[in-house]
Every structure is written in C-alpha cells, then in structure tokens.
Amino acid sequence: MIKKLYLPLLMAMIVALSSCSKKMGELSSDYFTTTPQVLEAVGGKVPVTINGKFPEKYFNKKAVVEVTPVLKWDGGQVKGQPAVFQGEKVEGNDQTISYKMGGNYTMKTSFDYVPEMAKSELYLEFNAKIGDKTVAIPAVKIADGVISTSELINNTLNNANTALGEDAFQRIIKDAHQANIMFLIQQANLRASELKSAGMKDFHNQVAEVNAAENKKISNIEISAYASPDGATDLNTDLAEKREANTNKYLSKELKKAKVNAVVDAKYTAEDWEGFQELVSKSNIQDKELILRVLSMYQDPEQREREIKNISSVYKNLADDILPQLRRSRLTLNYEIIGKSDEEIAKLADADASKLSLEEILYAATLTNDNAKKAAIYTKATQQFPNDYRAYNNLGALAFQAGDVTKAESFLSKAASLKAAPEVSMNQGLLALAKGDKTAAETYLGKAAGAKQINETLGNLYVAQGQYDRAVNAFGDSKTNSAALAQILAKDYNKAKSTLANVAKPDAYTDYLMAILGARTNNVSMLTSSLKSAIQKDSSLAKKAAKDLEFAKYVTNADFLSIIK
C-alpha cells in the first residue's frame, strides 16, 4: 500500500519542481522593447523607457522579482532604477503579475552619460525569490550602445561666436559750438557790448581754430533769430526777421575779414514758445505748473499770451527773468573732427600704441584677422588703460576660441571685476558650458541680456539641456557648428545642411556633422567625403567614428572602413 502511494507522489513532486523551474527560467529578449530603440544621450543623460512582458504561466504565484536595468561597457557599468513585481499569492504593494495570463509592465530610467557608453549594451538583471529560496533568472540583453551626437556640443563651442567689448571709435565726430547775441525788447540792432562779449570772442576764436586745423572741417554756421512770445504776432515776426538779417550781415562780414569760407544758414522764429516752455520748466518760478498747463491746453499764441498775463502773480517774474532770454540770435558752428585713417591706426598700434586713444587701440584690433595680432593689441590696451574691462574681455574671448579654458577664465574674471557687462557674462556662460557646468552657464546668461550674441549662446545652452526645438529657435540664422548640431538633433536636415555649408570658419567638426547628416539621410557620398575631410583635419575622429552608432549601418561599407582604419 505504501509503495502504491509513494510512486504517484514522487511523480507529482517531479512535475511540480519541473513546472516551477520553467516558470522562473530564462526570458527571451523578444519580451522586451526600448524607447528609443537605440539609446541616445539627451542633455547629459541617457533616458530609456523599457516595455517588458512576463509570459503566460511563467510567474510563480509566490515569487518576488526585482528587475534592474544595467548599462554595461568595457571596464564599467551603471545600474538604473529597479522595479519589483510579485506573484498572486504574495502580500505586498508591488505590481502583481498573473500566473495564468502573465503581465506587461513599463520601466523608466536614466543614466548619467559618460563617453565610454558609446559602445555599450543595456541588460536587465533579475533578482528572484520564491519564499526564502533564490531563483536564477539569466540577465537579458535588450539594447545596444548610446548615440552621443548631442554631446558634440562640447566640441562645437569653440566655433561659437563670442561677445566682444566693442570700441566706440568714430572717424568723423560731429561737434558744435554756440554763442548768443542778445537784444533789447522790441529792438533789432546789434549792440557793441554784445558783439564784444566773451561769448562772441570765444565763438570767433573757435571758428578760426576749426578752419585752420588739419583734422577739422566746418560743416556750416547756423543763425537762429527769435522774438519773445509777448506782444503782437505781426510785430514779433518783423522783429525776428530783422534780427536774423542784421546778424547774418554781421557774421558774413566777420567771416570775410577772417578769410573763412563757410556756408551760413539763417532762419527766424517769430515767437519762441518752445524756448519759453524750456526756460519755465527749468526755473523755480511761482505757479510754474500752471503756466505749463496753459501751454499744453492752448495752441493759439494770442490766447496763450492772454491766459499767462491773467496769472498776474507771476507775469512780472516772467517779464523780468524769462522773456529777456528769448530776445536773441543764436549762432551755431557745426563742424567735424576727422580722426586717423585705418592705415595710421594700424601702424601706430604696432609701433607706438601710446599715441592712440583707448577707442583707437580697440578699433585697431578690428583691422586684422590674425588672432595673435589681435591679442597683442588688446594686451597693449590693458597696459595703457588697465581700468577698462573691454580689452580683458576680448582677450578672454580669443583664449576661449583657441581652447585655452584656463587663460580665458583668468581674463574674463578680471573683466568682470572691472564691470558687470553683458558681454562678459555671456562669455562666462560659454566658458561654463565648455566646463560642463550647465547650472553656472544658466546663471551667467541670465545676466547677459543685451549682449549681441545672447540668443546664439542660449542656443548652445538649450542643446546641452536637450531642448532641441528651443535651441533651433534661439540660433535663428546663425551659421555655426552648434546651430547645425541643434538642427540635426531636431531632425531639420535641410536647414542643417545649409548651415554647415555656410559656416564662416569650417573645422573638423563641421565636416563630422556633415558626415552624420549624410548617414541620417542615406547619402553615402556625403558621409564618406565629409568624414574623410574631418579625419584629415583631426585624426582622432577616426577612432570616434568607428564607435559612433550614427554610422552603425555602414560598418561593412568598404569606403567607410578604409576611411576610419
């Protein structure tokens, strides 16, 4: 009897154990998909969504399974956020998987990008237990590698446009010198006391000095004659006209005597309400606001005069202090100061910069395309004018473009200590991006409003943050490697091709981006010719291309292999 019972029981146990083993055995990679299908670095992270499935009659009702995504590469690995699942007979708060029906699940995780991930594999590792017993479930490979094109932002920054502290040099500076001839009330004759006044003597001396100077030129002399806005309009018109005529006659005579050939433009204003309003506004006269309100309310000159005379408390003050200043002829000498030629400035910048003003030295740097000469000129500017931030900023910009981060940081820090200028903050933002500090870059760029290149630099930041559409908008029509990179990442391939074709100073990464564009658009000729040019300029790109998943489908292409070998 015992033997009869023993045999069926033994068979049942074998079947049960066999069944348990099958339920928690190896899982096929067919049960898993990832989004994206090929992992991609975005904003310094490698995000991935994993969709998995436990098949029917697989998940033991008493099992607890922890699933961990692990990204592995030669010499390292990193684990993502795990998820835990439980069988139907387990009491817990994790997702329950049906034994009979199986179950689907979604996991999201993100890894901090490191360059070694370019050649890597994504696995799922399982830690399974049934009761107190550990069950072995082999790890499953579910994806290959990481596309790291977005990380090229670190290589394209040197091609970015920096912000210069611009010079204020003007070759021709317009200037003017004025003098007034004052008249008595209702008179137009020129008084000797006025013609011999210090102001008129100074005016004539200025005319003679400008006329004789080699670097100055008289444009014209203006005569503006006025009558004060009191009295009848007809009387004031006649008075202002006579004052203009008398002044013009006097000035023409004096210019002829001094042998000065200058154009004289004369005009008159019958009633100088504009001058009246200006003088009242600047005065401390009683009821000033009331007078100004009258001027704003009435446009008819006679009504204005009546209303102001009605303010009897102040009219005497107006008659004594304001109106006499409006009975005048104003003489204005308009002239140009002509600066040094480009040739003169360039020679002095090289031979004797001490003879140049600050603006001239800064301008001299714009006359050469040789960065070494630019740096030498800016250095002289810092020596002669150590308290101006612009030369330090511009030296920092040059160092940044040359890839010398340490020198750039030193110059920009000095510039910032002299003035918190927008262009300095913008360059410091670029520098922070180059060092991989996106938080600091964002802070600096928040202080850079007004810098000419701020939108382009924000575009670089947005690429680094993984905001590709926003980056494309920020770059606008900029023709830089970074702008093209943003367009490639946003899949605007036509615009990217146009941008790369118009980069002002194309380098190895200009060609490398064009090669990526060729790979993405199945243009093998563009891919191979551009990659060949890139590697000729920078041989290290051959090794990069060999691992770059952008070129994964071309690894058996003979031309591709010959280029990267």
Side-chain angles (χ1 to χ4, degrees), residues 373-393:
K373 289 184 178 179
K374 286 179 183 287
I377 293 170
Y378 288 137
T379 299
K380 291 177 182 179
T382 63
Q383 293 166 349
Q384 289 181 218
F385 305 95
N387 294 322
D388 191 275
Y389 78 96
R390 289 172 292 176
Y392 292 106
N393 173 77

Side-chain angles (χ1 to χ4, degrees), residues 148-164:
S148 57
T149 302
S150 65
E151 292 298 307
L152 287 175
I153 189 65
N154 299 317
N155 305 104
T156 63
L157 282 174
N158 286 351
N159 188 262
N161 291 313
T162 50
L164 295 180

Side-chain angles (χ1 to χ4, degrees), residues 105-121:
Y105 61 91
T106 298
M107 301 173 60
K108 290 188 177 183
T109 193
S110 179
F111 307 98
D112 291 332
Y113 176 80
V114 294
E116 292 79 7
M117 289 178 180
K119 191 172 183 179
S120 58
E121 297 173 324

Side-chain angles (χ1 to χ4, degrees), residues 454-471:
I454 182 61
N455 285 338
E456 181 183 324
T457 306
L458 286 170
N460 284 288
L461 174 63
Y462 297 148
V463 171
Q465 293 175 333
Q467 302 183 70
Y468 304 141
D469 289 334
R470 193 176 182 187

Side-chain angles (χ1 to χ4, degrees), residues 70 94 369:
V70 183
D94 298 308
N369 292 321

Side-chain angles (χ1 to χ4, degrees), residues 7-20:
L7 185 58
L9 181 60
L10 181 60
M11 293 300 293
M13 290 178 63
I14 292 172
V15 170
L17 289 171
S18 175
S19 176
C20 285

